[in-house]
Amino acid sequence: MPPTDFVPRPYTGPSYQQVEQMKGVYMPPSITNAYKKPVLLTQGHMQWLYDNDGKRYLDLFGGIVTVSVGHCHPKVNAALKDQLDVLWHTTNLYRHPKIYEYVEQLAAKLPGDLNVVYLVNSGSEANELATLLAKAYTGNLDIISLQTSYHGYTSSLMGLTATQSYRMAIPVPPGFYHAVHPDPFRGAFGGCRDSISQAPGSCSCTGECISTDKYVHQLNELLGNSVPAGRVAAFFAESIQGAGGVVQFPKGYLKKAQELIKKNGGLYVADEVQTGFGRTGDHFWGFETHGVKPDIVTMAKGIGNGFPLAAVVTTKEIAANHAKAAYFNTFGGNPMASTVGKAVLEVIEEEGLQQNSKVVGEYFIRQLMDLQKQHPVIGDVRGQGLMIGVELVEPGTKTPLTTSKVNDIHENIKDNGVLIARGGRFNNVFRIKPPMCITKQDYQSKVLRCEPTKEPIVDYGKTSLFEGFQITLENTILFPAGGGQPHDIGWLNDVEVLQVLRKGDEALHFTREPIDVGIEVKQKVNWNRRFDHMQQHSGQHLLSAILEKHHSLPTTSWWLGADESYVEIDSTKVSEQQINATENYCNELIRAAVPVSVKICKSNDPDLNEAHTRGLPKDCMETIRIICIGDIDENMCCGTHVSNLSQLQIIKIIGAEPGKKGKTNLKFLVGERVTKTFQRMLEREKALTGLLKNEPTKHEELVQKLQKNIKTTNKNLQNVLIELAEFEVNKIKGSTPKPKYVFMFKREATPEFNRAVLKGLEGEGMFVLLVSEDPDRAKEGQIIIQGPEEHCKALGDMITEMLKAKGAFKNGRFQGKASDLGAVNKCKKLVEDYFNKLT
Ligand SMILES: [Zn+2]
Ligand SMILES: [Zn+2]
């Protein structure tokens, strides 16, 4: 998660368990939980949300596309606080300035004569009012919406909303009809849409899509069969379907549908509850993308950034017919609501949030398209700006992914600290609609410096020489080495980053190529390596905590290696029983999916005493980062960690070794490393099985047998060699005339054999030279010289030089190691010549 300076307040409300219990008692059962383990959100700041444990979430849903400019946006907050002290409420039967200032600004955002503004309290209320306006104006009663649409949840709107999951088994009011869903991914006629991402295998028409006429034909069939001729009141459509799963219609559909409806006497109502206020990036309103101008526009959600506020905007002419009866709205557009609405409009303008939605949304969609290539479970990626949908399917089909699988992925994303929503007819579409203040600055950064460097690269303790560049960025997502965790590797655009080092409060990125100073670069981290480090590092926190708490075995340091890691324990011994108990308990906690969260404290925070800080460094920053594993452990740390122990998968202690004086190193593996190591062991075992031609359970027995056999064989060989030596000695002694010298080169001779020969020839007055070869090293071996001193003196130096031998004379015998037996024949000749000359 990218860093933020924001520090949430400590939470002091009812506990998670208390809230859980209260929900069961007081909340209607129709309000379901979004997650198996629901989140209790207690504070928000811009795109961030915090739960009761202080865990931070990236909010990619904005409370159902409602938080448009950011949670507790300072400008909106300030405006509301100011208004709170002036006037809360009158009624719009009177006049108050805020509502007038606001409606003027809002109307200015709409095209043409759309400038009569009704302020109400919710989207449902807005759509209900719109049905009334359309009926009053046209005098017609029938209203058409699209299949899979959502327009509200009041009993009179249940017919307008065309999604089965909202339908109760009671009749809906008459006069609602649902046209065929013009869905490029699931619809019968396919189609292409206004997005950088198209449905797989779709057409790519320039201008209007060829499928549009087919869907419009279906709408015409509905009008021709179910509605009195030319007597339709309105056609309602979201500009991009929201709850329906971010469905965009084929290009040109809304335009043609509006023309057809108009011909049949009806109005076109654009439901901009989710798509309005700049979210789609290219335009302020979603309908503008379709090149249409509605007769009525309804809006809610993002209009108030979470404050209850909604609106219906129409023309003076349409609104005029509504004046035939009395109308008022108690809360709609009261001073507080109007103040918030005005501040939200101004923030969108001042902070360029529409443009930001376009830039970040496009980036986001492209990243999702990359994911789609790697993961066939992603059937479709679609959307515009920050209105994004990801439809999950059974890989290789269009069959919606089973709910339980979608649930698991959804839960996992939440556990990783990201909140997204679900939608679509099959509840298999992830909806990503974050506050529009979300930035990509967290991944994009500016190059501040680029300098040549010759500092070496150190990876898992191995140093290699390096010559290249060190790059400083405005901010980085790449983790520099620290806290026992090795550095990340990754890319800046396409340039590889081989090492990241912390220097003071800066991170240096080592690359082979230079990068121009001042340009923006896209950062990418090698995620496999990072996640592996997160697993080992979080595993270390867990191991150290349990060893200390349950066994009084404190950790003094730790090491994360390329294959194995270890914790250094302040004890000379760790028993087998302690190891097993620790491993079992750690794995139990992993299976219990204990959350891991980050708590930020000020350095003078009294809470800090709880944390196991091991002494703060002298240059300690003002804020301290504490990693909490449930209520099991708190530890000050700057590294990267998993957000739930379940992500460790498994922990395995693979051995205890004596470490530095008085310490023991406990070697361990976490997650993927366990399977990788197991795989290597399996391969070794397979190789051994091939060699031993026996099943693995018999290996030990067989090897023991082989070792015993070798021992017996060696013993027998020994005896044979000694007999052979005696035989050789007797042969020499028995020959006439008795030889003056013996030259014996037996490659396979053992020390025992040589000893026996020398002993047998001792005192015979013969010069003896024995040469044998080392069985493991060709051309190397042993030489032994024994005999009368005069001969030894005359020949000794020449022989040792020839055979490149090292050794010493001792008790009238030279014993040494020869390193070049290649000259052994020359040596034999030398000895022969020497003794021939003597005679
Ligand atoms: Zn097309
Ligand atoms: Zn850590």
Side-chain angles (χ1 to χ4, degrees), residues 695-709:
E695 56 177 301
T697 51
K698 299 270 169 66
H699 283 178
E700 200 183 334
E701 196 187 315
L702 189 63
V703 170
Q704 275 172 352
K705 211 164 130 191
L706 284 174
Q707 282 173 335
K708 210 171 134 197
N709 284 351

Side-chain angles (χ1 to χ4, degrees), residues 203-407:
C203 47
S204 52
C205 315
T206 43
E208 187 188 299
C209 177
I210 45 161
S211 69
T212 284
D213 276 338
K214 297 175 192 159
Y215 290 113
V216 171
H217 173 74
Q218 294 297 317
L219 175 62
N220 198 27
E221 287 294 292
L222 177 70
L223 291 165
N225 286 296
S226 306
V227 178
R231 294 296 305 268
V232 68
F235 171 73
F236 272 69
E238 299 162 86
S239 301
I240 296 175
Q241 278 190 347
V246 196
V247 176
Q248 295 176 273
F249 312 131
K251 287 181 286 188
Y253 176 81
L254 280 183
K255 197 174 170 69
K256 284 213 157 156
Q258 182 185 20
E259 285 162 10
L260 187 59
I261 292 293
K262 198 173 176 186
K263 252 191 245 165
N264 284 269
L267 302 180
Y268 159 44
V269 183
D271 180 332
E272 288 283 339
V273 171
Q274 297 200 11
T275 46
F277 298 89
R279 176 161 297 277
T280 60
D282 280 324
H283 299 97
F284 199 80
W285 305 106
F287 61 78
E288 291 173 288
T289 309
H290 300 275
V292 285
K293 199 205 122 212
D295 303 296
I296 300 173
V297 182
T298 60
M299 52 195 84
K301 294 193 189 283
I303 189 175
N305 200 42
F307 200 92
L309 175 62
V312 180
V313 183
T314 187
T315 64
K316 202 164 207 127
E317 192 192 345
I318 292 169
N321 268 21
H322 185 229
K324 288 173 185 164
Y327 170 78
F328 79 102
N329 192 302
T330 301
F331 299 112
N334 86 0
M336 291 190 289
S338 297
T339 299
V340 170
K342 183 170 175 284
V344 168
L345 269 187
E346 285 165 6
V347 169
I348 293 173
E349 198 84 16
E350 288 164 9
E351 297 184 2
L353 295 185
Q354 181 187 324
Q355 176 63 16
N356 188 58
S357 290
K358 181 180 164 66
V359 174
V360 181
E362 255 188 47
Y363 175 76
F364 211 142
I365 292 172
R366 287 196 197 283
Q367 298 288 308
L368 289 166
M369 288 162 78
D370 278 351
L371 276 184
Q372 186 184 16
K373 282 179 213 147
Q374 296 159 32
H375 301 285
V377 74
I378 302 178
D380 193 25
V381 172
R382 52 193 179 238
Q384 236 182 359
L386 288 174
M387 179 92 180
I388 302 169
V390 178
E391 180 151 1
L392 302 185
V393 292
E394 294 294 342
T397 70
K398 270 195 187 176
T399 312
L401 190 67
T402 15
T403 305
S404 68
K405 287 185 197 159
V406 184
N407 289 349

Side-chain angles (χ1 to χ4, degrees), residues 583-816:
E583 186 183 294
N584 284 340
Y585 191 58
C586 286
N587 282 315
E588 231 171 78
L589 293 170
I590 289 171
R591 284 191 293 272
V594 176
V596 179
S597 56
V598 179
K599 196 160 87 179
I600 305 285
C601 286
K602 296 282 182 198
S603 53
N604 55 3
D605 195 321
D607 257 12
L608 205 55
N609 298 334
E610 286 176 35
H612 181 177
T613 57
R614 290 195 216 114
L616 293 172
K618 284 200 184 69
D619 60 344
C620 163
M621 310 281 219
E622 212 182 300
T623 48
I624 310 292
R625 190 165 172 267
I626 294 165
I627 310 304
C628 313
I629 304 180
D631 48 14
I632 299 156
D633 184 46
E634 292 200 344
N635 217 320
M636 185 187 78
C637 188
C638 66
T640 64
H641 308 83
V642 297
S643 58
N644 190 297
L645 287 189
S646 65
Q647 291 155 25
L648 302 187
Q649 300 160 354
I650 185 170
I651 199 162
K652 180 80 201 149
I653 300 175
I654 51 172
E657 280 176 1
K660 286 185 209 147
K661 201 163 181 264
K663 319 263 181 179
T664 302
N665 294 342
L666 269 193
K667 297 198 290 177
F668 68 94
L669 304 168
V670 184
E672 201 84 328
R673 288 192 180 198
V674 177
T675 29
K676 272 192 190 146
T677 306
F678 182 62
Q679 184 60 37
R680 277 200 295 271
M681 285 167 62
L682 264 186
E683 274 156 21
R684 284 198 293 261
E685 190 179 87
K686 235 161 101 186
L688 203 57
T689 304
L691 277 177
L692 294 175
K693 305 209 174 2
N694 210 334
E695 56 177 301
T697 51
K698 299 270 169 66
H699 283 178
E700 200 183 334
E701 196 187 315
L702 189 63
V703 170
Q704 275 172 352
K705 211 164 130 191
L706 284 174
Q707 282 173 335
K708 210 171 134 197
N709 284 351
I710 290 170
K711 227 169 155 181
T712 316
T713 314
N714 276 344
K715 216 166 149 191
N716 291 342
L717 185 68
Q718 236 33 274
N719 291 339
V720 173
L721 278 172
I722 285 168
E723 273 174 36
L724 181 67
E726 277 165 13
F727 173 78
E728 292 280 353
V729 167
N730 286 339
K731 202 171 80 181
I732 293 164
K733 280 185 181 173
S735 58
T736 38
K738 231 159 85 182
K740 290 202 179 68
Y741 72 95
V742 174
F743 181 93
M744 202 182 282
F745 175 40
K746 260 193 192 319
R747 282 180 202 277
E748 66 285 0
T750 63
E752 288 78 12
F753 174 84
N754 287 339
R755 252 197 308 276
V757 172
L758 291 170
K759 198 155 183 270
L761 295 178
E762 223 167 20
E764 295 288 328
M766 284 177 207
F767 177 84
V768 184
L769 171 55
L770 301 182
V771 182
S772 58
E773 200 173 39
D774 187 328
D776 298 323
R777 292 191 186 92
K779 303 260 180 216
E780 287 181 35
Q782 198 188 33
I783 61 169
I784 304 172
I785 304 170
Q786 164 184 298
E789 206 182 330
E790 43 169 319
H791 301 319
C792 289
K793 266 194 177 157
L795 288 168
D797 287 348
M798 283 192 281
I799 292 170
T800 53
E801 198 175 305
M802 225 174 237
L803 299 178
K804 295 194 180 127
K806 272 190 191 127
F809 269 97
K810 208 175 158 190
N811 305 329
R813 197 182 274 178
F814 176 89
Q815 200 158 334

Side-chain angles (χ1 to χ4, degrees), residues 141-197:
L141 300 175
D142 290 326
I143 292 182
I144 292 169
S145 57
L146 290 168
Q147 292 171 350
T148 322
S149 62
Y150 179 86
H151 296 288
Y153 194 70
T154 61
S155 55
S156 62
L157 282 187
M158 271 192 201
L160 187 62
T161 288
T163 300
Q164 195 177 52
S165 50
Y166 295 106
R167 190 72 84 232
M168 298 279 292
I170 49 170
V172 294
F176 290 108
Y177 302 89
H178 307 130
V180 164
H181 197 207
D183 177 354
F185 181 64
R186 281 200 181 279
F189 312 118
C192 55
R193 57 202 173 204
D194 230 318
S195 173
I196 50 174
S197 179

